[in-house]
Amino acid sequence: MTEKSSSIDRSDLLSERLPGHLAIIMDGNGRWAKARMLPRIMGHRKGVQTVQAIVEECSELGIKFLTLYAFSAENWLRPKTEVTALMMLLKKYIKMEVPRMMRNNIRFRTIGNLKELPEDIQAELENAISETASNNGMTLTLALSYGGRQELVNAAKSFAAKVIAGEQRIDDLDESTFASFLYTDNIPDPDLLIRTGGEMRISNFLLWQLAYSELYFTETSWPEFSLKELYKALLDYQARERRFGLTGEQVRNLM
Ligand code: IPE
Ligand code: IPE
Ligand code: MG
């Protein structure tokens, strides 16, 4: 850890400039384990502990939406043993977390093609969603069996079906109508995307929604991503000027 990050604290953050929606690509579990001569699944296990710490902290900081990329549509192609182990971990996590979500007033949601998940996990997820439905603190969204391109294709199909049924008109389609057909309906676009584990790519995550998000990449692996690392990313975000196509002068005049 650099000297700067070791001195960063929660109190360095400006609460009025926190991202309304933080999305995270939690990467580097396998390499973290391999570097320690451990099986990859031990990295995923350690990663769950990071999830717990980061979820709790984001909720305490007052972040309204936290979205975590937990399993991609492409991750099904991993060795069966790893996929099975990940599913078991997921089930255990959801079961264990519901009481904590209730205590922290967290509302739970999912995005992705849930139908591909084992049925017992689908049931566990549905239970967590309905139990936490009336909580109004942070919304925690897990992306599971999620792929951005698949999401866009599904949205196009759903819209086309409505047109055929006479419930939608092609001419009325605009960005916000299209967005309402995505998994993320009623979730604002991410303000900040963090990717741990050193890769600088999006890996099919939230392709539509990330159009104007700030991106933050760190070499730190997910199992090692600490609260200080989170503060560091948030501080970096707070120092940025979001221009949305305008000039810097225009943006500063609007403030
Ligand atoms: C991210 O860690 C977790 C999932 C994709 C499920 P990885 O398992 O991709 O870890 P690396 O990238 O191999 O280190
Ligand atoms: C992205 O990580 C998916 C998740 C974090 C769930 P990957 O490890 O699957 O991404 P690639 O394959 O390296 O791009
Ligand atoms: Mg990876």
Side-chain angles (χ1 to χ4, degrees), residues 102-206:
M102 294 311 292
R103 273 204 302 283
N104 292 326
N105 194 22
I106 292 174
R107 185 168 167 214
F108 180 71
R109 278 188 64 156
T110 55
I111 53 174
N113 188 4
L114 296 202
K115 291 194 292 286
E116 286 180 37
L117 296 167
E119 272 174 25
D120 56 331
I121 294 187
Q122 290 184 40
E124 211 59 74
L125 292 168
E126 274 157 28
N127 174 58
I129 292 167
S130 62
E131 283 224 19
T132 63
S134 52
N135 289 348
N136 59 8
M138 185 176 81
T139 297
L140 168 65
T141 304
L142 278 195
L144 294 167
S145 192
Y146 175 89
R149 287 188 169 180
Q150 294 85 332
E151 177 181 39
L152 290 167
V153 169
N154 280 338
K157 281 186 178 165
S158 310
F159 177 73
K162 295 253 180 200
V163 171
I164 290 168
E167 294 165 26
Q168 288 276 352
R169 285 163 31 94
I170 291 179
D171 285 344
D172 293 340
L173 184 63
D174 57 14
E175 288 176 22
S176 84
T177 309
F178 189 77
S180 73
F181 284 91
L182 300 172
Y183 296 129
T184 47
D185 186 25
N186 290 321
I187 301 180
D189 290 341
D191 298 293
L192 173 64
L193 171 77
I194 297 175
R195 181 172 186 143
T196 63
E199 310 296 354
M200 295 212 223
R201 56 180 173 249
I202 299 297
S203 300
N204 206 12
F205 192 41
L206 300 175

Side-chain angles (χ1 to χ4, degrees), residues 31 34 40 56 66 73 82 96 109 123 139 158 179 229:
R31 281 164 287 158
K34 215 178 148 207
R40 290 176 58 85
E56 188 129 7
L66 174 66
E82 180 165 344
M96 199 165 61
R109 278 188 64 156
T139 297
S158 310
E229 296 272 347

Side-chain angles (χ1 to χ4, degrees), residues 238-250:
Q238 296 194 326
R240 298 189 192 185
E241 181 176 69
R242 302 184 73 189
R243 291 193 280 272
F244 299 99
L246 304 183
T247 66
E249 288 73 18
Q250 284 177 301

